[in-house]
Amino acid sequence: MNFCSKFTSVATLAFVATTGATVVAAETTLEIVKERGNVRCQVGPPSPGYYNLDSEGNWYGLDVAVCQAVAAAVFGSKDALEIQSVSSQARFTALANGESDLLSRTATWTMTRDTQLGIDFLSPNFYDGQGFTVRVDSGITSAMELGGAKVCVTTGTTTELNLTDFSRSNDLGISNVTFEDYNVRDDTYLNGGCDAVTGDKSSMAGNIASFPVPGDHMILPETLSKEPLAAAVRHGDSQWRDVVQWSIFALVNAEELGITKANVDDMRSTSKNPNVLRMLGAEGNLHEGLGLDKDWAYNIIKNVGNYGEIYEAYMGGGEQGIGIERAGSLNALWTDGGLMYSPPMR
Amino acid sequence: MAIVNTNKTPDRAAPISETSMLGWLRRNMFSSVFNTLLTLSMAYIIYLSVKGILVWGLFDATFVADNRRECYDNSLTGACWAGVIDWLDNIFYGRYPRDEIWRINAGGLLLVLWMLPMWLPRVRGKVLIGATVVVFYPFLAGYMFSGGEMGLFIQIMASGAIASFVIIVANALVGLTKDVGLDTFVLEALGKTKAPDKTQRNLLIVLAVALFVVANLWVSTWALEGVSWTKWGGLFLTLVISGIGIASSLPGGILLALGRRSELPVVRVLSTGFIEVFRSVPLITVLFMATTMFPLFMPEGFVLNKLTQVIIAVILFNACYMAEIVRAGLQAIPKGQFEGAHTIGLGYWGTMGLIVMPQALKHMIPNIVGNLIGLLKDTTLVSIIGLFDLLGMLRSISKDVPWLGLHKEPLIFGAFLFFIICFSMSKYSRHLEVKLSAGEKH
């Protein structure tokens, strides 16, 4: 017994000593990233619109563009990047244990995650919400008309919980038909196995576009849940947090100021707008606080474009886009009535 | 006056009902009303399903299209193989840079050419072939696949690999054409067959060293572009993981099985504990432990890449199953064999290596191959922890925007690939069994 307690205390001391030593030796994330020469950005298993592989083996998507923006800000090139695809069970662990520098993957910003998992969420880069898809010929025009309907849903996510809550609070008696894989869920719906599908509206819009006859299906107006999708970093490293946060803001701010991938060079040399000049590093010293080069924001726009361009390419009507209407949605700029808003860069 | 006809009645042809197709059909398919009905209804079901499969998969299918919408425009009821065809590079090689794919092909071809002589008749020195593959090939292949800076050790091993590969191929060619070993052939060509043994041996060594030096000079000029393991994927990654797993889990399993039957208590307890712990946990748990928990236990800055972690996990996991198969095989060997080996003066390793293992392994072949096939299929689990193996790639097709939702065709294609690989493994094991005549009793 005595021996045991002695042993334990010695072990504890040794543990404290070693961890103490590592804390002293630890560098900031920005230093580690610069030393390594690339940003390790975590995404999930491919998900349309956000992060996908193309047939050449390259990553593309909205969240991938955020990764590329951070890489461009730090290194001046969007290719100084290692994309890590991590399953959703391991996503926060992989960020916490230092495997990933940042997480940019359709993670909903919730209070529990932000306060209890040792991670910090940044401002959302996409506002999503859960909704229903129905067949046009079913005559259903509102989710309130779904009484007694069979609804296909993927299991193990908050989607299922939201559906149950919605059904209970509105006394609709919806019966859940659950699936592991959303491809199977959609096949079942298409073959008449259920009356409606529920899921995040953005991904459902993409899925409908892939149905044999997209015009036969529609998304109901109701939104069941708030899904602000945001990037996240480890808690406690404010400098790195600033770098990632302002890289994302730079995307939005550039759109607001009308800076695009194509005109960024012109804007830097000919613009008379002090906001533009400050942001692109032609004037002032915004970069100093971030510990980056003067060109950090210029490099972001030059490499990946502004938020509007990214949205159009991957979420909107671009060749690799899943065709979600932006105008009138929460993802429009604040000047157009949306929620995309960057604090002033000055 | 014979009443018995002593002349042999001439042979008559067998009645048509016994030999013709019709007779066979009548006996087996239409012997009663019930059987006739059964046959007809089954034939109809088979016709329907085969027709359905052919119409969907072949006649109505689209093979050339730029995206899924074009497939739909072509036919709403047929398969869309165009997506699978568009993704073939990803499916086979993962995200490996497209200009460097030849390295994977060359590495694979090298292995096939290297191993092929083992199965050819009249080729000498088959043990040497196996030994050089195990010792040298992994280093050469490792460098070819990952490229980058070449350390001195890798350079030496790669040169050794090239030199031994040249020797193996030359040996195989000489064996096939002249039916002699390479050493005899070289000595004959140099007219040194009559020289003393020692001179002959020295001469061969000098030649081998010269070959090694030439290979080393060539290898030192190599400068292959570095390709990070994160770009490995598809069938290539599946084969790398399962290949290393297969090659290492068998020896590992043998050692563990011997350990478990050992008379040394520490070795026995450790082996038993190890086997029981790893066998009682699902593979996916081991994989998660290896990839997410392991880095937490390690000091900061200690980085073992995920692929290595996964491969080690797969090896440890399968070595335990293999150990139990080997132990079962060992237990089937009668005690007399051990005693016999002892009486002729063999020690522990002699008994095991020369007497017991060769007999035991023969009996274990079906189980071992069954386990190896299982290992190959189990590697698909790595797609869950974020590696893009064959299954991971196939599932990603349905998420790529041009092919959104295309998930049946890739999975069918994957099933087809897996069937080819597993069925050939199974066929080969049958062949081995027959060859080693362990299958006599079935």
Side-chain angles (χ1 to χ4, degrees):
Chain A
M1 193 63 185
N2 194 14
F3 170 76
C4 271
S5 61
K6 251 186 194 162
F7 179 78
T8 320
S9 51
V10 169
T12 318
L13 269 180
F15 180 75
V16 170
T18 35
T19 45
T22 36
V23 169
V24 173
E27 302 162 293
T28 66
T29 309
L30 185 60
E31 281 166 357
I32 296 172
V33 166
K34 278 182 171 171
E35 202 170 297
R36 192 196 303 130
N38 65 13
V39 176
R40 289 187 180 155
C41 188
Q42 187 199 125
V43 300
S47 169
Y50 301 99
Y51 26 86
N52 290 91
L53 283 177
D54 67 11
S55 60
E56 292 296 306
N58 302 313
W59 286 99
Y60 67 92
L62 181 78
D63 286 344
V64 173
V66 169
C67 298
Q68 291 171 335
V70 175
V74 179
F75 295 105
S77 159
K78 65 176 177 186
D79 298 323
L81 181 66
E82 181 189 322
I83 299 271
Q84 301 171 319
S85 175
V86 176
S87 66
S88 50
Q89 293 93 328
R91 55 184 162 178
F92 299 122
T93 323
L95 179 63
N97 72 16
E99 203 182 316
S100 319
D101 300 321
L102 80 141
L103 178 151
S104 173
R105 51 173 298 173
T106 61
T108 304
W109 183 4
T110 66
M111 186 169 163
T112 323
R113 286 175 179 173
D114 202 354
T115 55
Q116 293 178 11
L117 293 179
I119 59 174
D120 277 349
F121 281 90
L122 308 169
S123 69
N125 55 22
F126 195 87
Y127 292 92
D128 212 339
Q130 189 176 337
F132 292 100
T133 301
V134 293
R135 274 177 285 270
V136 173
D137 62 17
S138 68
I140 297 173
T141 52
S142 156
M144 295 306 162
E145 297 165 24
L146 284 170
K150 280 190 288 182
V151 176
C152 281
V153 56
T154 46
T155 179
T157 57
T158 48
T159 322
E160 199 181 351
L161 187 71
N162 291 337
L163 176 64
T164 314
D165 287 354
F166 177 76
S167 169
R168 272 176 54 196
S169 56
N170 294 297
D171 206 13
L172 288 174
I174 289 174
S175 51
N176 299 7
V177 187
T178 53
F179 297 92
E180 190 69 43
D181 184 84
Y182 74 72
N183 285 315
V184 183
R185 176 197 73 186
D186 288 351
D187 272 3
T188 309
Y189 163 74
L190 286 174
N191 293 327
C194 42
D195 306 307
V197 178
T198 185
D200 283 348
K201 282 184 167 182
S202 68
S203 67
M204 285 201 304
N207 293 350
I208 289 180
S210 76
F211 289 171
V213 189
D216 285 357
H217 310 271
M218 64 177 205
I219 297 180
L220 296 177
E222 284 84 355
T223 302
L224 274 61
S225 68
K226 292 189 286 188
E227 310 283 347
L229 307 181
V233 293
R234 262 187 304 286
H235 184 83
D237 187 340
S238 301
Q239 186 193 23
W240 180 244
R241 189 198 142 97
D242 284 347
V243 168
V244 178
Q245 177 65 82
W246 284 96
S247 299
I248 296 169
F249 280 148
L251 296 172
V252 177
N253 210 31
E255 188 187 7
E256 195 184 324
L257 295 171
I259 310 171
T260 64
K261 203 172 174 176
N263 72 10
V264 62
D265 286 301
D266 283 350
M267 291 288 261
R268 183 158 71 159
S269 50
T270 62
S271 174
K272 295 199 174 58
N273 185 342
N275 285 324
V276 172
L277 297 176
R278 270 198 293 270
M279 177 176 155
L280 295 180
E283 258 177 30
N285 48 10
L286 283 177
H287 62 283
E288 278 175 5
L290 292 179
L292 299 175
D293 290 340
K294 219 174 169 57
D295 289 336
W296 69 279
Y298 165 81
N299 285 332
I300 292 178
I301 309 305
K302 186 75 187 164
N303 274 281
V304 296
N306 66 35
Y307 183 80
E309 289 177 283
I310 296 169
Y311 189 100
E312 178 63 18
Y314 306 121
M315 289 291 170
E319 203 170 289
Q320 291 180 317
I322 55 177
I324 307 175
E325 186 69 27
R326 187 177 177 209
S329 77
L330 294 178
N331 296 305
L333 272 187
W334 65 282
T335 45
D336 300 331
L339 287 179
M340 283 300 151
Y341 182 98
S342 159
M345 294 175 79
R346 61 169 185 252
Chain B
M1 190 49 194
I3 14 175
V4 179
N5 185 0
T6 51
N7 297 331
K8 194 169 171 283
T9 351
D11 289 346
R12 276 179 301 167
I16 197 152
S17 65
E18 291 299 314
T19 52
S20 72
M21 188 69 194
L22 270 176
W24 183 87
L25 277 177
R26 186 164 166 191
R27 245 177 308 120
N28 292 294
M29 298 284 175
F30 303 98
S31 56
S32 66
V33 178
F34 178 68
N35 279 351
T36 307
L37 281 177
L38 211 58
T39 302
L40 288 179
S41 49
M42 285 313 288
Y44 185 63
I45 291 173
I46 292 174
Y47 164 76
L48 280 187
S49 35
V50 170
K51 184 183 157 210
I53 291 172
L54 285 182
V55 166
W56 177 81
L58 210 58
F59 303 131
D60 278 3
T62 311
F63 292 89
V64 184
D66 285 337
N67 54 51
R68 199 162 179 221
R69 185 52 53 196
E70 284 181 19
C71 284
Y72 281 141
D73 292 345
N74 186 27
S75 147
L76 279 179
T77 51
C80 180
W81 298 111
V84 177
I85 294 171
D86 188 34
W87 268 62
L88 276 184
D89 275 353
N90 270 351
I91 293 173
F92 287 129
Y93 307 107
R95 304 176 49 232
Y96 213 81
R98 297 298 182 251
D99 293 341
E100 305 288 324
I101 281 177
W102 65 269
R103 281 155 55 175
I104 298 179
N105 293 336
L109 189 67
L110 202 65
L111 183 63
V112 171
L113 288 180
W114 203 320
M115 301 278 279
L116 194 64
M118 287 231 260
W119 293 282
L120 295 176
R122 310 206 295 176
V123 174
R124 308 292 200 273
K126 291 190 175 167
V127 176
L128 186 74
I129 300 176
T132 51
V133 164
V134 172
V135 174
F136 292 118
Y137 179 75
F139 296 97
L140 178 65
Y143 180 70
M144 286 181 74
F145 298 155
S146 39
E149 286 281 308
M150 187 173 2
L152 185 64
F153 177 68
I154 298 291
Q155 188 181 333
I156 290 172
M157 291 313 257
S159 314
I162 297 286
S164 33
F165 177 70
V166 171
I167 292 175
I168 298 297
V169 171
N171 181 47
L173 290 177
V174 170
L176 282 177
T177 51
K178 301 260 196 290
D179 199 10
V180 289
L182 185 64
D183 46 350
T184 328
F185 178 78
V186 170
L187 290 171
E188 264 172 21
L190 295 172
K192 297 276 185 191
T193 33
K194 299 271 157 46
D197 282 357
K198 206 175 169 189
T199 324
Q200 291 189 356
R201 198 169 57 233
N202 287 343
L203 186 66
L204 289 175
I205 290 175
V206 167
L207 285 175
V209 170
L211 187 61
F212 173 80
V213 171
V214 173
N216 193 21
L217 284 177
W218 184 47
V219 169
S220 63
T221 61
W222 287 7
L224 294 174
E225 186 194 321
V227 178
S228 156
W229 66 270
T230 51
K231 296 202 175 231
W232 298 15
L235 183 63
F236 166 58
L237 184 68
T238 300
L239 292 180
V240 165
I241 298 177
S242 48
I244 300 179
I246 288 172
S248 321
S249 65
L250 187 58
I254 292 177
L255 287 182
L256 278 175
L258 292 179
R260 190 167 186 169
R261 281 168 57 97
S262 168
E263 280 157 16
L264 309 169
V266 177
V267 174
R268 190 175 60 237
V269 169
L270 282 181
S271 307
T272 310
F274 185 81
I275 291 174
E276 292 305 336
V277 166
F278 271 87
R279 232 165 39 124
S280 319
V281 183
L283 178 58
I284 190 69
T285 318
V286 178
L287 288 175
F288 266 119
M289 271 301 271
T291 54
T292 57
M293 300 305 287
F294 186 68
L296 288 176
F297 305 146
M298 289 295 114
E300 227 172 303
F302 179 87
V303 183
L304 197 60
N305 75 46
K306 209 191 230 173
L307 182 59
T308 317
Q309 291 167 357
V310 164
I311 289 176
I312 293 175
V314 167
I315 292 174
L316 293 182
F317 187 79
N318 281 285
C320 294
Y321 278 92
M322 207 56 94
E324 290 301 278
I325 294 176
V326 174
R327 194 166 65 93
L330 288 177
Q331 275 168 348
I333 303 300
K335 205 168 173 225
Q337 296 289 326
F338 291 85
E339 290 165 349
H342 285 311
T343 55
I344 56 170
L346 290 174
Y348 177 78
W349 294 108
T351 309
M352 285 301 170
L354 297 172
I355 308 292
V356 179
M357 273 300 167
Q359 300 184 61
L361 283 174
K362 261 200 302 197
H363 294 293
M364 292 180 249
I365 288 176
N367 275 341
I368 291 179
V369 174
N371 199 45
L372 296 184
I373 290 177
L375 187 159
L376 179 84
K377 292 188 291 183
D378 279 352
T379 57
T380 52
L381 280 177
V382 304
S383 67
I384 298 177
I385 54 163
L387 294 184
F388 287 88
D389 75 321
L390 181 57
L391 188 65
M393 272 301 169
L394 292 166
R395 290 168 71 107
S396 303
I397 299 182
S398 70
K399 318 287 163 63
D400 186 18
V401 171
W403 309 108
L404 215 55
L406 187 79
H407 69 118
K408 285 196 217 89
E409 291 85 343
L411 289 179
I412 290 172
F413 182 68
F416 175 69
L417 282 182
F418 269 112
F419 178 77
I420 292 179
I421 299 172
C422 296
F423 188 64
S424 15
M425 279 166 81
S426 153
K427 271 311 210 195
Y428 180 63
S429 97
R430 270 305 290 164
H431 162 80
L432 261 189
E433 274 174 62
V434 172
K435 197 172 155 193
L436 301 175
S437 64
E440 282 161 303
K441 286 165 279 181
H442 288 280

